[in-house]
């Protein structure tokens, strides 16, 4: 059964994501520290940088998905997006200001905006009916495994090279190696899945079903109150975790993300994706409570729980979209989803940085935890609005 599900495209796209995340996560756990310590950025600036990076995804991803549906091909767009990302990230080696880091982050996220919707549509097109939760869970597991190796590599290199600015820059430059491997896999192993192009001459989000927009509404609302990895890393430092150990704590997050991604997907296929999605909302809330409690133990618990959340948040949403969106509009659907969540994330991170600078981190993490728990119970109570339409378009 699993051999049939895990065909060449699914395994190859998983391996591509593994090495791309390997490259990315050599940089990301160090970037907030690099910005704060060596480039003297404030929490507000860091929040704006991350928010603008996510907005860059939002501005391109819907158009990329629509163009992919019109073109009738996915791979060429995916290759271009991954190539741009893997070439621009190592340029952090040269950064001399927060503005330069912002430009690099935006460039990397623009690349994600180009590739994400057609890639997810290509995964969906390669997925046997009834197994979308498992397949997107597998892909998320490969993401998490690559991220784990990347963050452990960052930890090992920082431990070996020391905590100097030069060490950070060296690690940024070395991230190009796994990026090149990811591109080789994508170019030489993945095959396109041709389909009849969408006849639509205009962007048609109104053609997507109501269940899809119910999902997007919940994910967008949640994203308004959530915070991303950068604030968790900064909170770890505030709670007393040594700088060289922070990538190791971040590696724990990636370990739990990779470990739980497939079980979450399999349970979602069996018991309902909306119910499992509500559980990952709840996990985020509990992780934020642990982080807000202060101390190093809270950091380790928070990162571990946050990994469970990350293992299901986007992969479950993508599986629901795979089940509910019409075949010729799947990339359009993924584009609309990422756009909405990306705009909400810009607002969230910009406000989160301001709250931290103005009132401290505790109120920020407590507010995020309460909001997540409330939304978790709300989604669970209304889960039938999503679950009863599963597989209707597969």
């Amino acid at each position: 059964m699993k051999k049939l599900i895990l065909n060449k495209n699914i395994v190859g796209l998983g391996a591509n994501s593994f090495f791309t995340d390997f490259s990315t996560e050599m940089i990301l756990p160090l970037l907030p520290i690099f910005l704060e310590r060596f480039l003297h950025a404030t929490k507000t600036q860091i929040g704006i940088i991350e928010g603008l990076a996510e907005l860059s995804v939002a501005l391109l991803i819907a158009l990329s998905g629509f163009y992919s549906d019109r073109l009738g091909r996915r791979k060429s767009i995916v290759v271009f997006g991954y190539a741009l990302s893997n070439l621009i990230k190592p340029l952090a080696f040269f950064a001399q200001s927060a503005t330069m880091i912002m430009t690099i982050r935006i460039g990397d996220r623009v690349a994600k905006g180009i590739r994400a919707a057609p890639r997810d549509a290509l995964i969906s097109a390669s997925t046997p009916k009834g197994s979308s939760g498992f397949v997107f869970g597998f892909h998320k597991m490969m993401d998490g495994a690559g991220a784990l190796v990347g963050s452990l590599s960052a930890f090992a290199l920082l431990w070996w090279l020391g905590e100097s600015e030069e060490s950070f820059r060296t690690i940024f430059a070395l991230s190009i190696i796994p990026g090149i491997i990811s591109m080789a896999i994508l170019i030489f192993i993945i095959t396109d899945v041709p389909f009849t192009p969408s006849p639509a001459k205009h962007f048609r989000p109104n053609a997507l079903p109501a269940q899809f927009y119910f999902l997007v509404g919940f994910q967008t609302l949640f994203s308004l109150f959530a915070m991303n990895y950068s604030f968790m890393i900064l909170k770890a430092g505030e709670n007393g975790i040594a700088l060289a150990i922070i990538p190791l704590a971040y590696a724990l997050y990636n370990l739990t993300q990779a470990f739980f991604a497939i079980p979450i997907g399999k349970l979602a296929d069996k018991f309902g994706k909306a119910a499992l999605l509500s559980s990952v909302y709840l996990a985020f809330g509990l992780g934020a409570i642990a982080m807000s409690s202060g101390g190093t133990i809270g950091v380790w618990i928070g990162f571990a729980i946050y990994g469970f959340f990350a293992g299901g948040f986007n992969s479950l949403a993508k599986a629901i979209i795979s089940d509910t969106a019409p075949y010729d509009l799947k990339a359009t659907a993924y584009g609309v989803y990422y756009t909405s969540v990306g705009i909400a994330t810009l607002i969230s991170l910009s406000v989160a940085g301001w709250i931290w600078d103005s009132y401290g981190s505790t109120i920020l993490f407590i507010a995020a935890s309460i909001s997540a728990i409330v939304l978790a119970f709300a989604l669970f109570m209304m889960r039938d609005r999503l679950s009863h339409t599963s597989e209707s378009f597969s």
Side-chain angles (χ1 to χ4, degrees):
M1 177 67 174
K2 288 184 181 178
K3 288 184 179 180
L4 177 64
I5 294 174
L6 295 179
N7 55 53
K8 184 182 73 171
N9 261 12
I10 293 173
V11 173
L13 286 165
N16 164 255
S17 286
F18 173 91
F19 283 103
T20 297
D21 274 65
F22 184 166
S23 172
T24 299
E25 300 296 335
M26 289 178 68
I27 297 175
L28 286 190
L30 304 182
L31 210 53
I33 305 167
F34 183 73
L35 278 164
E36 184 180 44
R37 174 169 292 197
F38 300 116
L39 301 184
H40 311 295
T42 65
K43 305 296 191 306
T44 302
Q45 288 175 316
I46 293 172
I48 291 173
I49 289 171
E50 288 300 314
L52 287 174
E54 294 305 319
L55 180 63
S56 301
V57 178
L59 292 176
L60 275 178
I61 203 164
L63 292 176
S64 174
F66 170 67
Y67 179 71
S68 175
D69 286 336
R70 286 286 312 276
L71 189 65
R73 297 193 302 274
R74 312 289 192 195
K75 181 178 174 178
S76 58
I77 303 175
V78 175
V79 168
F80 177 75
Y82 273 108
L84 179 60
S85 177
N86 284 308
L87 288 174
I88 200 169
K89 286 180 298 189
L91 295 179
F93 173 85
F94 300 103
Q96 298 296 325
S97 67
T99 301
M100 292 179 69
I101 290 292
M102 180 178 69
T103 302
I104 292 166
R105 284 289 288 145
I106 289 175
D108 175 47
R109 295 298 85 185
V110 164
K112 180 177 179 179
I114 292 170
R115 73 181 187 248
R119 180 207 61 199
D120 290 344
L122 184 56
I123 294 172
S124 181
S126 305
T127 299
K129 184 177 180 179
S131 58
S132 60
F134 173 82
V135 167
F136 279 99
F138 169 78
H139 193 264
K140 188 62 181 178
M141 183 271 292
M142 293 297 286
D143 275 349
L148 173 62
V149 175
S151 52
L152 286 175
S153 298
F155 163 72
L157 287 167
L158 196 62
W159 191 269
W160 181 43
L161 297 172
E163 299 177 6
S164 68
E165 181 176 348
E166 290 73 19
S167 299
F168 278 68
R169 294 184 184 277
T170 299
I171 296 169
F172 295 160
L174 290 173
S175 70
I176 197 171
I177 297 173
I180 292 172
I181 297 173
S182 77
M183 289 306 304
I185 292 170
L186 183 60
I187 292 169
F188 296 112
I189 294 179
I190 304 304
T191 56
D192 215 338
V193 181
F195 62 98
T196 303
S198 170
K201 295 182 179 180
H202 305 287
F203 188 52
R204 293 193 303 151
N206 59 318
L208 295 166
Q211 291 77 18
F212 164 78
Y213 283 107
F214 182 79
L215 167 72
V216 170
F218 258 97
Q219 292 287 91
T220 301
L221 190 58
F222 181 90
S223 298
L224 280 172
F225 296 103
M227 67 200 73
N228 76 348
Y229 78 99
S230 57
F231 288 97
M232 311 230 6
I233 289 172
L234 294 171
K235 183 64 173 171
E238 183 179 85
N239 283 13
I241 298 289
L243 187 153
I245 302 297
I246 289 176
L248 191 60
Y250 188 74
L252 175 62
Y253 146 71
N254 285 319
L255 175 63
T256 55
Q257 178 182 187
F259 180 81
F260 283 111
I262 287 181
I264 288 172
K266 292 174 72 175
L267 288 171
D269 284 333
K270 186 174 182 179
F271 297 109
K273 298 176 180 68
L276 265 293
L277 187 58
S278 69
S279 74
V280 303
Y281 283 15
L282 180 61
F284 180 91
L286 296 176
I289 289 174
M291 295 286 281
S292 68
S293 64
T296 57
I297 294 177
V299 170
W300 292 101
I301 294 173
F303 271 115
I305 297 176
Y306 189 62
F308 175 84
F309 158 79
F313 181 71
N314 272 322
S315 61
L316 287 173
K318 289 188 286 188
I320 293 171
I321 294 169
S322 179
D323 292 346
T324 58
Y327 188 80
D328 64 341
L329 291 176
K330 286 191 186 295
T332 296
Y334 287 119
V336 171
Y337 166 73
Y338 282 120
T339 297
S340 183
V341 170
I343 292 172
T345 301
L346 167 64
I347 297 170
S348 171
L349 295 180
S350 300
V351 172
W354 174 78
I355 291 174
W356 190 322
D357 281 334
S358 301
Y359 303 103
S361 63
T362 301
I363 188 171
L364 172 64
F365 277 78
I366 290 176
S369 66
I370 293 172
S371 302
I373 292 169
V374 170
L375 287 171
F377 282 105
L379 178 58
F380 184 78
M381 295 302 294
M382 292 185 279
R383 64 192 182 280
D384 289 344
R385 296 194 183 186
L386 285 174
S387 60
H388 77 281
T389 60
S390 288
E391 313 293 275
S392 59
F393 289 96
S394 296

